[in-house]
Amino acid sequence: MKTPFGLLDLSAKESRRPGAALVAGVVAGLTSGAVKMGWEALFPPRTPDREVPPVTFLKQRGVDPDGATYEYNGNQVPWGVLAVHFGFSVVTVAAYSVAAEYLPRTKLWAGAAYGIGAFVVAHEIVLPKLGLSPAAKDLPPEEHASEFLGHIAWLLEAEQIRKAVRLAIAGVPDADTRANAAAKLADTARAALKR
C-alpha cells in the first residue's frame, strides 16, 4: 500500500537488518552525542544563569551531578551528566536507526527531518513538561536557534555514521522501499545480463 509521499511505505522485508541497525544506531548515538556537545560549546543554547537539562534532571532525582567524576587533564568531568546526555543520544539515534530499517523515509533529508522532530518533541514539549526548562514560549530566540540547528547537525552526523556502520556489519546497503528495492534488483540483473 502506498502512503502519501511514501512516508509510511515499508522497506522490502529481505533488505532489513534490524540487528545491524541497532548496533549502528548505538555507535552513531555515541558519536553524534559528542557532535551535539561540540555544537553547544560553539553556540551555547542556554544563558549562563541556567543549568543544562541533564544537571537539572539529576538534581530532581536527588543525584548530585558532581558526585561521581573522573579527571582528565586536570578537569573534573561528571559521569552522571555524560550518562544522561549520551543516554538520550544513544536511545534516540538507535530508535531512528531501527525505524529506518522498516520505514526508509525516516531518513528524510539525510536524517535532518528526524532531528527537527526530536527537537520539537524534546525541547518544545517534554523538557518544559518535566520542569527541565522554561516553557517554549519563554525561551530566548538564541536557544531555539541553537537547539534547532544543533539537532539537525546531530542527526546529519548520526545518519552518516549509521549508514557506514550498518554497511560494514550487514555487508549490504540500506533497507529501502519495496519499489526501490525491486528497481535496484532489476538494474543489477540488467547489468549482469550485459556482461
Side-chain angles (χ1 to χ4, degrees):
M1 178 177 101
K2 296 300 259 178
T3 61
F5 308 106
L7 292 178
L8 298 176
D9 289 359
L10 290 173
S11 62
K13 188 175 182 178
E14 60 277 5
S15 71
R16 296 177 193 152
R17 305 291 187 278
L22 181 60
V23 172
V26 169
V27 172
L30 290 170
T31 62
S32 63
V35 165
K36 185 70 166 73
M37 286 182 103
W39 179 272
E40 290 184 3
L42 292 171
F43 304 101
R46 279 158 288 286
T47 55
D49 60 317
R50 281 197 31 233
E51 293 176 326
V52 295
V55 170
T56 307
F57 178 81
L58 290 170
K59 285 181 177 178
Q60 284 179 346
R61 279 137 192 86
V63 176
D64 178 6
D66 297 318
T69 62
Y70 68 91
E71 185 174 324
Y72 182 81
N73 198 24
N75 296 286
Q76 295 299 312
V77 182
W79 280 110
V81 172
L82 291 178
V84 172
H85 174 82
F86 281 98
F88 172 80
S89 184
V90 166
V91 167
T92 305
V93 175
Y96 162 79
S97 185
V98 172
E101 285 297 300
Y102 295 89
L103 300 164
R105 295 297 285 175
T106 301
K107 302 174 288 189
L108 185 65
W109 303 333
Y114 189 92
I116 292 168
F119 157 74
V120 170
V121 170
H123 289 272
E124 302 291 302
I125 300 169
V126 174
L127 291 179
K129 285 201 181 296
L130 293 176
L132 299 173
S133 75
K137 67 179 180 53
D138 297 328
L139 296 174
E142 295 86 354
E143 183 165 347
H144 288 289
S146 174
E147 290 292 0
F148 178 79
L149 296 171
H151 277 72
I152 291 171
W154 171 53
L155 258 294
L156 287 172
E157 189 276 347
E159 170 57 13
Q160 297 311 305
I161 299 299
R162 179 208 64 80
K163 193 169 26 176
V165 172
R166 185 202 181 279
L167 178 61
I169 294 170
V172 293
D174 267 357
D176 210 339
T177 61
R178 288 189 186 284
N180 290 346
K184 286 177 185 174
L185 183 60
D187 289 345
T188 303
R190 276 193 293 277
L193 291 172
K194 288 181 181 179
R195 289 184 198 165

